[in-house]
Amino acid sequence: MKITNIAIKNRTAILVLTALIVVGGLLSYISIPKESSPQIEFAMIVVTTIYPGASPDDIESIITQKIESEVAVITGIDNIRSTSTESVSSIIIEFTPDKDVSEAATEVREKVDLAKPEFPSDVEDPIVSEIDFSEFPILSVNLLSSGSLSRLRETAEDLQDVLDGVPGVLDVDLIGGLEHEVQVNIDIARLQGYGLEIGDVVAAIQTENANIPGGSIDLGPENYLVRIDGEFNDPGEIENLVVLAPNGQPIYVRDVAEVTFGYKDRASYARLELRQTEPEPGVFVPVENPENLQVIRLDVKKRVGENIIETVALVNAELATFNFPAGTSHTITGDQSEQVVTLIADLENNIIAGIIFVILVLLFFLGVRNATLVGIAIPLSMFLSFIVFSVMGQTLNFIILFSLIIALGMLVDNAVVIVENIYRFREEGYSRWDAAKGAVEEVGMAVAASTATTVAAFAPMMFWPGIIGKFMSYMPLTLIVTLSSSLFVALVINPVITGYLVRLDSEKTDKAKSARTKKISIAAMVFLAMVVGIANWKTLVFLIIAVPALFALYKYVLGPANKRFAGETVPKMTTKYR
């Protein structure tokens, strides 16, 4: 095939390309965002309308039904649910997955605007909001203190500002605690006695509590900005404001109201009950007499497409360096990265175990050299797939990793055919590179057709409709990418590497060439070990133990078993069949 001939002609460049695929694949695997589930976007719009004092029946007939009749004509709606309660109408509009979220929100707003003229005048403007499931918190930071909740609130606000600046964090919501506010408690009787209205007091306070720019002044070569600082720094300043001055007699705020520095009405509460602590990773100690503690909670949300593990690590780093006041502590709950780490680790272990079993099968049937030449198709195909996923902007979720497990056995199919056919051509007397060219020329189209049929079988699943279809589309996508990568490896990389390393049992060993090959192999193994070690040192330790164990297993178990199977069992079966 032409692509194989070009690869063999430029075999040095192919070796460099192989090294780049290894490095790029590992770097892509490290940097690609990791999450437990795929990010599925589908439009869900909520329309909330408040009509103070109205009964549920009035809410339904006056507001809910009118909005529903306008919204129902929008294309792409899957379901509409509404709830009419006292003073509140809530309508949830679900769209099909192929509907653009922003387009759906715009169309709903337009239809709600058409329904508004039919509402009574005292109905508040409807609120149209989008439900984004990707904005659920990835972890919660619970602050506890032996001091007052107002002081703890100040600490929480400072920490909120710090966490907002962490790369990958979208938003931080603060829940619970007491927030200070200035309260102006108006005495209605005294206000009426002066002939004033509440609006007069409000207007006086709003007018005075403002910073006013006063232009600029030129003094020689200097130019100065003039600014009138009118914002209140002390609640007591409000008492001395003049509301009105009829007949030159000023009426102060203190004459008609009492100004206090209190707390806002609490809109949220946060509580935490500690039942066990984790002094060391994986070590849990039950708490005696657990209490339901009042805390302030910071819910941290992640940006779409960011790596949840890296984001949580950065948040923990900021918490470790934040200067908490004496008597203040924090507890992390709802850390979703722990679930992601566990899930990815389990799937990685399954992939590694699958690779080992595939290699064991190859060792039994093909021997060490052929199994090595065929086995390199597995990591190279996966590395190339990770590069493609990174370029496509995909995240690494459990469906992609599970699909890689499914694809493991199919990744070596093409390589087995190519490598074995190269050996057959060598046995017929062809030179290394002529054998590689001839072998691929003979079976290349068949290998490509075989891969194409498998890809074609999975391709229709890409168009599976509905939310489940969007969720499951990652499986055929992964299989198509990995199988296409394995075809590239079989037609481009395998012939070059096999051409370098192919050796028949009847061939005499060229000591000089053998020594050079060993040096190149050792250098390649050291380079690969360095790259794997940088990516994950635990994987490197595992490989250092697993590779010698596999060779020992082949020497003492699989090798003798292969000789008995190929030399005795197969001939007996063939004879009996004949």
Side-chain angles (χ1 to χ4, degrees), residues 161-349:
D161 294 337
V162 172
L163 296 182
D164 267 328
V166 173
V169 171
L170 174 67
D171 190 23
V172 180
D173 292 338
L174 194 152
I175 300 174
L178 297 173
E179 188 174 358
H180 284 290
E181 74 171 359
V182 177
Q183 299 172 347
V184 180
N185 302 315
I186 296 176
D187 190 326
I188 299 297
R190 298 175 68 179
L191 190 70
Q192 293 175 345
Y194 283 107
L196 302 176
E197 297 180 353
I198 293 178
D200 297 328
V201 180
V202 173
I205 296 174
Q206 287 179 340
T207 303
E208 294 295 332
N209 186 34
N211 294 328
I212 304 174
S216 61
I217 298 176
D218 293 328
L219 297 176
E222 304 293 335
N223 180 275
Y224 296 94
L225 292 176
V226 178
R227 176 173 172 268
I228 300 173
D229 191 359
E231 285 190 349
F232 301 132
N233 296 320
D234 185 356
E237 298 175 4
I238 301 176
E239 296 179 341
N240 300 320
L241 294 180
V242 176
V243 180
L244 284 177
N247 302 322
Q249 186 68 29
I251 301 174
Y252 297 96
V253 172
R254 64 174 178 267
D255 297 330
V256 296
E258 179 187 5
V259 180
T260 60
F261 189 51
Y263 298 100
K264 286 184 178 180
D265 292 336
R266 298 188 65 173
S268 62
Y269 289 84
R271 295 187 178 276
L272 177 68
E273 186 171 311
L274 283 177
R275 292 188 171 273
Q276 59 184 8
T277 59
E278 190 178 7
E280 298 179 7
V283 179
F284 298 95
V285 179
V287 176
E288 296 182 1
N289 303 321
E291 300 180 26
N292 198 307
L293 305 173
Q294 194 167 185
V295 299
I296 294 180
R297 191 174 80 231
L298 296 173
D299 289 338
V300 182
K301 301 176 182 178
K302 177 183 72 70
R303 294 183 185 276
V304 176
E306 295 291 335
N307 192 324
I308 185 174
I309 299 174
E310 293 180 359
T311 303
V312 171
L314 291 173
V315 170
N316 288 329
E318 291 292 345
L319 291 173
T321 58
F322 186 79
N323 186 20
F324 288 98
T328 301
S329 60
H330 70 279
T331 301
I332 295 178
T333 57
D335 187 354
Q336 293 186 13
S337 67
E338 294 180 353
Q339 176 190 358
V340 174
V341 170
T342 303
L343 178 64
I344 290 177
D346 290 342
L347 290 171
E348 284 176 345
N349 290 335

Side-chain angles (χ1 to χ4, degrees), residues 385-395 462 477 481:
S385 300
F386 290 139
I387 294 174
V388 174
F389 289 142
S390 181
V391 172
M392 294 174 62
Q394 297 289 346
T395 59
M462 296 281 293
L477 174 66
V481 170

Side-chain angles (χ1 to χ4, degrees), residues 381-382 384-386 388-389 392 394 397 399-411 413-414 450-462 464 472-488:
S381 300
M382 287 191 174
L384 190 56
S385 300
F386 290 139
V388 174
F389 289 142
M392 294 174 62
Q394 297 289 346
N397 50 68
I399 294 185
I400 289 181
L401 290 172
F402 180 73
S403 302
L404 289 176
I405 297 175
I406 296 176
L408 271 178
M410 294 184 283
L411 293 181
D413 292 349
N414 299 331
S450 173
T451 304
T453 54
T454 308
V455 168
F458 287 107
M461 294 180 66
M462 296 281 293
W464 193 342
M472 293 302 297
S473 64
Y474 286 86
M475 185 177 72
L477 174 66
T478 304
L479 292 171
I480 290 171
V481 170
T482 51
L483 291 176
S484 301
S485 300
S486 71
L487 179 61
F488 175 83

